[in-house]
Amino acid sequence: LAGSRITESDEVIRALLLEHAVDEYGHHNWVMDDLRSLNRDVSNLATSKPSVPTDALVAWMYYVAGVHNPIAILADSYVIEGLSQLFAAQLANSMKSRLKVPDNAVTYLARHGVADQAHMGELRDLINANVKGEQNYADMLQCAKVEFALYGQILEFSAAA
């Protein structure tokens, strides 16, 4: 959505966003495969209701991409890829060693932990070379702050469940 709203003057950013959407397509299947490996029924996953904080995060991202400043969506990539780079592989290893979760049940985390290390450098270089204007940087910062806050609420909700 954000890529379709980027102007031609920011073609490099538009191309990255569209390429990233294609690259990420299908990753939800990794999560479903991981859940199946844990003998979880995924048949109603697409129709089940997410937690309120998760709904809020999805709504926020649609707002940023579709209504607000689409360049700010780069902050989403920075947050997600940064968290993944820092914690995904470590979390997968902890789940395997402490919880005895099998390798085939942490593929989403393991794959992202490795792949997102390269993505962070590419994203940093793209932002430094192509994002212009203080308003774009302010909007990206706000996007990241809201996203981090909502991720915190998602974790708190999950811990309490």
Side-chain angles (χ1 to χ4, degrees):
L1 179 59
S4 70
R5 295 189 57 237
I6 300 284
T7 63
E8 288 181 16
S9 63
D10 292 315
E11 181 61 33
V12 174
I13 296 171
R14 178 177 21 193
L16 174 109
L17 289 173
L18 295 173
E19 179 183 316
H20 187 73
V22 170
D23 287 347
E24 293 294 319
Y25 182 77
H27 290 196
H28 63 287
N29 290 322
W30 297 352
V31 174
M32 292 189 352
D33 290 343
D34 288 350
L35 290 170
R36 283 187 201 98
S37 294
L38 295 169
N39 297 317
R40 298 293 185 197
D41 180 14
V42 298
S43 61
N44 67 346
L45 204 56
T47 59
S48 63
K49 298 297 179 203
S51 69
V52 171
T54 301
D55 253 348
L57 177 61
V58 171
W60 169 249
M61 299 318 305
Y62 271 103
Y63 168 75
V64 170
V67 177
H68 189 48
N69 180 353
I71 288 178
I73 209 76
L74 292 172
D76 168 65
S77 295
Y78 206 80
V79 167
I80 292 292
E81 313 243 348
L83 288 173
S84 177
Q85 174 191 358
L86 291 171
F87 300 114
Q90 180 181 353
L91 180 58
N93 288 332
S94 291
M95 290 171 68
K96 291 188 302 185
S97 66
R98 293 183 181 168
L99 302 174
K100 306 301 182 215
V101 172
D103 287 344
N104 65 344
V106 293
T107 59
Y108 178 85
L109 290 170
R111 290 174 182 168
H112 274 90
V114 172
D116 289 343
Q117 291 184 20
H119 292 164
M120 282 300 292
E122 294 167 3
L123 183 60
R124 182 193 61 243
D125 293 346
L126 174 106
I127 289 171
N128 289 338
N130 296 285
V131 175
K132 307 295 182 225
E134 290 301 315
Q135 190 61 54
N136 285 328
Y137 281 99
D139 291 344
M140 287 191 311
L141 182 59
Q142 179 66 12
C143 181
K145 287 178 179 179
V146 171
E147 192 165 344
F148 274 122
L150 291 171
Y151 272 116
Q153 290 178 21
I154 290 168
L155 291 174
E156 288 173 359
F157 182 89
S158 298

